[in-house]
Amino acid sequence: MIPDTIKQTALKYVGKTEKPNNSGFNDAEFEKRMADTGWIKGSSWCAYFTELVWTESYKDSPLLPEIKKLFSGSATATYKNFDIAKWEVGTVPKLGSLAVWRHGNGWQGHIGIVIEVSELSFKTVEGNTNDKGGREGYIVAVKNRVTKAPYTANGLNLIGFVYPK
């Protein structure tokens, strides 16, 4: 039941916050776990957070070494890596999947973990986000997202989902 494990692992981190300027986290154990994924001070951390969740969820799986290789500090590169490695990707959200967005048409993006799916929307747990609606990320929070949002040149555009095996 990997999707359920991913959901429960992601939810246990909700509320973890960062120190100003991406200089670390207010919880020393969380900071250590993030550093173990490759996060370094000053870095954006949404992709490292999803890597932390998936690597903890797959800790007893033979897939763990491959998963560690496919994640990147970049949300869009992570999506591309999983796609090239022939993991199933798609446009329909599924429990436990990675949801990946691109900022406008650029290379930068954002990534979260799907924890709930309904007909026209889905809920995620995302790191380096804002639970108050702003653009500056500072917390791990649950977000409500729509599946078919219109394209925006200055915002997030859903690329797709990477499904857990």
Side-chain angles (χ1 to χ4, degrees):
M1 300 306 248
I2 283 290
D4 289 324
T5 301
I6 292 169
K7 175 183 177 177
Q8 294 309 314
T9 302
L11 285 170
K12 79 179 183 180
Y13 291 113
V14 169
K16 298 296 183 190
T17 55
E18 71 173 339
K19 296 175 184 173
N21 304 316
N22 289 338
S23 63
F25 297 92
N26 293 310
D27 178 312
E29 179 59 28
F30 181 65
E31 182 168 331
K32 180 191 177 313
R33 289 174 188 225
M34 290 292 289
D36 288 347
T37 67
W39 169 83
I40 57 172
K41 290 181 181 187
S43 298
S44 295
W45 53 278
C46 62
Y48 292 110
F49 171 71
T50 58
E51 180 178 358
L52 171 65
V53 170
W54 269 40
T55 56
E56 284 188 11
S57 300
Y58 281 94
K59 70 179 184 278
D60 297 323
S61 169
L63 293 171
L64 183 61
E66 179 183 10
I67 288 169
K68 285 182 172 183
K69 280 194 260 180
L70 296 175
F71 270 96
S72 163
S74 162
T76 57
T78 294
Y79 183 87
K80 182 178 178 183
N81 292 344
F82 275 93
D83 189 24
I84 289 170
K86 305 293 185 211
W87 278 63
E88 185 182 359
V89 299
T91 58
V92 177
K94 295 180 184 178
L95 183 66
S97 61
L98 301 172
V100 185
W101 296 267
R102 177 184 318 278
H103 287 285
N105 287 324
W107 63 270
Q108 294 178 316
H110 187 65
I111 188 170
I113 305 280
V114 177
I115 60 162
E116 188 178 305
V117 178
S118 63
E119 191 173 329
L120 299 173
S121 64
F122 56 99
K123 284 187 179 180
T124 56
V125 174
E126 301 170 21
N128 201 21
T129 194
N130 189 310
D131 60 345
K132 310 251 186 288
R135 287 264 305 135
E136 181 57 34
Y138 68 94
I139 194 169
V140 176
V142 175
K143 304 285 289 229
N144 292 307
R145 300 290 191 172
V146 293
T147 306
K148 298 193 187 239
Y151 173 82
T152 173
N154 297 316
L156 294 175
N157 298 292
L158 185 65
I159 297 172
F161 302 90
V162 176
Y163 304 126
K165 288 185 180 181

PDB file of all heavy atoms in Angstrom, residues 33-51:
ATOM      1  N   ARG A  33      17.001  15.517   8.189  1.00  0.00           N
ATOM      2  CA  ARG A  33      16.417  14.637   7.171  1.00  0.00           C
ATOM      3  C   ARG A  33      16.448  15.302   5.792  1.00  0.00           C
ATOM      4  O   ARG A  33      16.708  14.650   4.785  1.00  0.00           O
ATOM      5  CB  ARG A  33      14.992  14.257   7.547  1.00  0.00           C
ATOM      6  CG  ARG A  33      14.951  13.310   8.724  1.00  0.00           C
ATOM      7  CD  ARG A  33      13.542  13.052   9.187  1.00  0.00           C
ATOM      8  NE  ARG A  33      13.587  12.292  10.424  1.00  0.00           N
ATOM      9  CZ  ARG A  33      12.833  11.255  10.679  1.00  0.00           C
ATOM     10  NH1 ARG A  33      11.967  10.830   9.792  1.00  0.00           N
ATOM     11  NH2 ARG A  33      12.939  10.637  11.825  1.00  0.00           N
ATOM     12  N   MET A  34      16.167  16.608   5.762  1.00  0.00           N
ATOM     13  CA  MET A  34      16.218  17.334   4.490  1.00  0.00           C
ATOM     14  C   MET A  34      17.652  17.370   3.949  1.00  0.00           C
ATOM     15  O   MET A  34      17.882  17.160   2.759  1.00  0.00           O
ATOM     16  CB  MET A  34      15.662  18.748   4.664  1.00  0.00           C
ATOM     17  CG  MET A  34      14.156  18.786   4.902  1.00  0.00           C
ATOM     18  SD  MET A  34      13.194  18.290   3.471  1.00  0.00           S
ATOM     19  CE  MET A  34      13.471  19.708   2.412  1.00  0.00           C
ATOM     20  N   ALA A  35      18.609  17.613   4.819  1.00  0.00           N
ATOM     21  CA  ALA A  35      20.018  17.630   4.397  1.00  0.00           C
ATOM     22  C   ALA A  35      20.433  16.259   3.859  1.00  0.00           C
ATOM     23  O   ALA A  35      21.209  16.178   2.906  1.00  0.00           O
ATOM     24  CB  ALA A  35      20.912  18.061   5.553  1.00  0.00           C
ATOM     25  N   ASP A  36      19.907  15.197   4.442  1.00  0.00           N
ATOM     26  CA  ASP A  36      20.217  13.851   3.967  1.00  0.00           C
ATOM     27  C   ASP A  36      19.721  13.604   2.543  1.00  0.00           C
ATOM     28  O   ASP A  36      20.254  12.747   1.843  1.00  0.00           O
ATOM     29  CB  ASP A  36      19.619  12.794   4.906  1.00  0.00           C
ATOM     30  CG  ASP A  36      20.349  12.719   6.241  1.00  0.00           C
ATOM     31  OD1 ASP A  36      21.457  13.277   6.380  1.00  0.00           O
ATOM     32  OD2 ASP A  36      19.778  12.097   7.179  1.00  0.00           O
ATOM     33  N   THR A  37      18.714  14.363   2.096  1.00  0.00           N
ATOM     34  CA  THR A  37      18.235  14.216   0.717  1.00  0.00           C
ATOM     35  C   THR A  37      19.081  15.023  -0.267  1.00  0.00           C
ATOM     36  O   THR A  37      18.941  14.864  -1.464  1.00  0.00           O
ATOM     37  CB  THR A  37      16.764  14.679   0.555  1.00  0.00           C
ATOM     38  OG1 THR A  37      16.693  16.086   0.756  1.00  0.00           O
ATOM     39  CG2 THR A  37      15.832  13.949   1.469  1.00  0.00           C
ATOM     40  N   GLY A  38      19.915  15.938   0.256  1.00  0.00           N
ATOM     41  CA  GLY A  38      20.744  16.770  -0.609  1.00  0.00           C
ATOM     42  C   GLY A  38      20.454  18.251  -0.479  1.00  0.00           C
ATOM     43  O   GLY A  38      21.151  19.075  -1.072  1.00  0.00           O
ATOM     44  N   TRP A  39      19.399  18.617   0.264  1.00  0.00           N
ATOM     45  CA  TRP A  39      19.088  20.030   0.454  1.00  0.00           C
ATOM     46  C   TRP A  39      20.255  20.726   1.149  1.00  0.00           C
ATOM     47  O   TRP A  39      20.860  20.175   2.057  1.00  0.00           O
ATOM     48  CB  TRP A  39      17.813  20.187   1.306  1.00  0.00           C
ATOM     49  CG  TRP A  39      17.596  21.600   1.737  1.00  0.00           C
ATOM     50  CD1 TRP A  39      17.006  22.586   1.010  1.00  0.00           C
ATOM     51  CD2 TRP A  39      18.012  22.203   2.965  1.00  0.00           C
ATOM     52  NE1 TRP A  39      17.034  23.765   1.720  1.00  0.00           N
ATOM     53  CE2 TRP A  39      17.647  23.553   2.922  1.00  0.00           C
ATOM     54  CE3 TRP A  39      18.681  21.739   4.092  1.00  0.00           C
ATOM     55  CZ2 TRP A  39      17.901  24.435   3.962  1.00  0.00           C
ATOM     56  CZ3 TRP A  39      18.934  22.613   5.132  1.00  0.00           C
ATOM     57  CH2 TRP A  39      18.539  23.942   5.063  1.00  0.00           C
ATOM     58  N   ILE A  40      20.590  21.931   0.701  1.00  0.00           N
ATOM     59  CA  ILE A  40      21.603  22.761   1.343  1.00  0.00           C
ATOM     60  C   ILE A  40      21.000  24.129   1.640  1.00  0.00           C
ATOM     61  O   ILE A  40      20.059  24.567   0.952  1.00  0.00           O
ATOM     62  CB  ILE A  40      22.882  22.902   0.493  1.00  0.00           C
ATOM     63  CG1 ILE A  40      22.569  23.483  -0.882  1.00  0.00           C
ATOM     64  CG2 ILE A  40      23.619  21.581   0.362  1.00  0.00           C
ATOM     65  CD1 ILE A  40      23.774  23.840  -1.715  1.00  0.00           C
ATOM     66  N   LYS A  41      21.535  24.784   2.646  1.00  0.00           N
ATOM     67  CA  LYS A  41      21.028  26.098   3.037  1.00  0.00           C
ATOM     68  C   LYS A  41      21.019  27.039   1.839  1.00  0.00           C
ATOM     69  O   LYS A  41      21.943  27.058   1.053  1.00  0.00           O
ATOM     70  CB  LYS A  41      21.854  26.686   4.177  1.00  0.00           C
ATOM     71  CG  LYS A  41      21.644  25.951   5.480  1.00  0.00           C
ATOM     72  CD  LYS A  41      22.447  26.555   6.620  1.00  0.00           C
ATOM     73  CE  LYS A  41      22.185  25.739   7.878  1.00  0.00           C
ATOM     74  NZ  LYS A  41      22.785  26.321   9.055  1.00  0.00           N
ATOM     75  N   GLY A  42      19.957  27.812   1.730  1.00  0.00           N
ATOM     76  CA  GLY A  42      19.804  28.750   0.626  1.00  0.00           C
ATOM     77  C   GLY A  42      19.055  28.193  -0.570  1.00  0.00           C
ATOM     78  O   GLY A  42      18.695  28.929  -1.470  1.00  0.00           O
ATOM     79  N   SER A  43      18.809  26.877  -0.577  1.00  0.00           N
ATOM     80  CA  SER A  43      18.133  26.242  -1.715  1.00  0.00           C
ATOM     81  C   SER A  43      16.622  26.244  -1.548  1.00  0.00           C
ATOM     82  O   SER A  43      16.109  26.116  -0.440  1.00  0.00           O
ATOM     83  CB  SER A  43      18.558  24.777  -1.840  1.00  0.00           C
ATOM     84  OG  SER A  43      19.926  24.665  -2.072  1.00  0.00           O
ATOM     85  N   SER A  44      15.931  26.314  -2.669  1.00  0.00           N
ATOM     86  CA  SER A  44      14.505  26.016  -2.652  1.00  0.00           C
ATOM     87  C   SER A  44      14.357  24.561  -2.223  1.00  0.00           C
ATOM     88  O   SER A  44      15.255  23.755  -2.458  1.00  0.00           O
ATOM     89  CB  SER A  44      13.904  26.221  -4.035  1.00  0.00           C
ATOM     90  OG  SER A  44      13.985  27.572  -4.404  1.00  0.00           O
ATOM     91  N   TRP A  45      13.248  24.213  -1.625  1.00  0.00           N
ATOM     92  CA  TRP A  45      13.210  22.878  -1.027  1.00  0.00           C
ATOM     93  C   TRP A  45      11.967  22.039  -1.285  1.00  0.00           C
ATOM     94  O   TRP A  45      11.821  20.947  -0.741  1.00  0.00           O
ATOM     95  CB  TRP A  45      13.487  22.975   0.467  1.00  0.00           C
ATOM     96  CG  TRP A  45      12.629  23.938   1.246  1.00  0.00           C
ATOM     97  CD1 TRP A  45      12.819  25.288   1.355  1.00  0.00           C
ATOM     98  CD2 TRP A  45      11.493  23.633   2.043  1.00  0.00           C
ATOM     99  NE1 TRP A  45      11.852  25.835   2.170  1.00  0.00           N
ATOM    100  CE2 TRP A  45      11.027  24.848   2.616  1.00  0.00           C
ATOM    101  CE3 TRP A  45      10.817  22.456   2.344  1.00  0.00           C
ATOM    102  CZ2 TRP A  45       9.923  24.913   3.449  1.00  0.00           C
ATOM    103  CZ3 TRP A  45       9.715  22.524   3.193  1.00  0.00           C
ATOM    104  CH2 TRP A  45       9.279  23.735   3.733  1.00  0.00           C
ATOM    105  N   CYS A  46      11.081  22.456  -2.190  1.00  0.00           N
ATOM    106  CA  CYS A  46       9.881  21.653  -2.442  1.00  0.00           C
ATOM    107  C   CYS A  46      10.237  20.263  -2.983  1.00  0.00           C
ATOM    108  O   CYS A  46       9.664  19.255  -2.566  1.00  0.00           O
ATOM    109  CB  CYS A  46       8.902  22.371  -3.359  1.00  0.00           C
ATOM    110  SG  CYS A  46       9.527  22.752  -5.014  1.00  0.00           S
ATOM    111  N   ALA A  47      11.184  20.194  -3.918  1.00  0.00           N
ATOM    112  CA  ALA A  47      11.560  18.899  -4.501  1.00  0.00           C
ATOM    113  C   ALA A  47      12.288  18.024  -3.472  1.00  0.00           C
ATOM    114  O   ALA A  47      12.082  16.812  -3.434  1.00  0.00           O
ATOM    115  CB  ALA A  47      12.427  19.094  -5.739  1.00  0.00           C
ATOM    116  N   TYR A  48      13.110  18.635  -2.644  1.00  0.00           N
ATOM    117  CA  TYR A  48      13.786  17.857  -1.596  1.00  0.00           C
ATOM    118  C   TYR A  48      12.774  17.295  -0.599  1.00  0.00           C
ATOM    119  O   TYR A  48      12.932  16.185  -0.100  1.00  0.00           O
ATOM    120  CB  TYR A  48      14.834  18.709  -0.883  1.00  0.00           C
ATOM    121  CG  TYR A  48      16.003  19.065  -1.765  1.00  0.00           C
ATOM    122  CD1 TYR A  48      16.196  20.371  -2.196  1.00  0.00           C
ATOM    123  CD2 TYR A  48      16.909  18.097  -2.186  1.00  0.00           C
ATOM    124  CE1 TYR A  48      17.262  20.706  -3.009  1.00  0.00           C
ATOM    125  CE2 TYR A  48      17.979  18.414  -3.006  1.00  0.00           C
ATOM    126  CZ  TYR A  48      18.151  19.727  -3.417  1.00  0.00           C
ATOM    127  OH  TYR A  48      19.207  20.043  -4.236  1.00  0.00           O
ATOM    128  N   PHE A  49      11.722  18.073  -0.325  1.00  0.00           N
ATOM    129  CA  PHE A  49      10.687  17.571   0.583  1.00  0.00           C
ATOM    130  C   PHE A  49       9.999  16.344  -0.006  1.00  0.00           C
ATOM    131  O   PHE A  49       9.799  15.348   0.683  1.00  0.00           O
ATOM    132  CB  PHE A  49       9.654  18.665   0.905  1.00  0.00           C
ATOM    133  CG  PHE A  49       8.473  18.113   1.647  1.00  0.00           C
ATOM    134  CD1 PHE A  49       8.608  17.696   2.964  1.00  0.00           C
ATOM    135  CD2 PHE A  49       7.247  17.968   1.012  1.00  0.00           C
ATOM    136  CE1 PHE A  49       7.521  17.143   3.644  1.00  0.00           C
ATOM    137  CE2 PHE A  49       6.163  17.423   1.688  1.00  0.00           C
ATOM    138  CZ  PHE A  49       6.308  17.007   3.004  1.00  0.00           C
ATOM    139  N   THR A  50       9.629  16.394  -1.300  1.00  0.00           N
ATOM    140  CA  THR A  50       8.967  15.234  -1.892  1.00  0.00           C
ATOM    141  C   THR A  50       9.910  14.030  -1.954  1.00  0.00           C
ATOM    142  O   THR A  50       9.482  12.895  -1.771  1.00  0.00           O
ATOM    143  CB  THR A  50       8.399  15.551  -3.293  1.00  0.00           C
ATOM    144  OG1 THR A  50       9.448  15.987  -4.154  1.00  0.00           O
ATOM    145  CG2 THR A  50       7.302  16.596  -3.218  1.00  0.00           C
ATOM    146  N   GLU A  51      11.189  14.296  -2.159  1.00  0.00           N
ATOM    147  CA  GLU A  51      12.167  13.198  -2.125  1.00  0.00           C
ATOM    148  C   GLU A  51      12.213  12.579  -0.742  1.00  0.00           C
ATOM    149  O   GLU A  51      12.248  11.350  -0.593  1.00  0.00           O
ATOM    150  CB  GLU A  51      13.547  13.700  -2.531  1.00  0.00           C
ATOM    151  CG  GLU A  51      14.598  12.605  -2.503  1.00  0.00           C
ATOM    152  CD  GLU A  51      15.971  13.059  -2.956  1.00  0.00           C
ATOM    153  OE1 GLU A  51      16.133  14.229  -3.346  1.00  0.00           O
ATOM    154  OE2 GLU A  51      16.897  12.216  -2.911  1.00  0.00           O
TER     155      GLU A  51
END
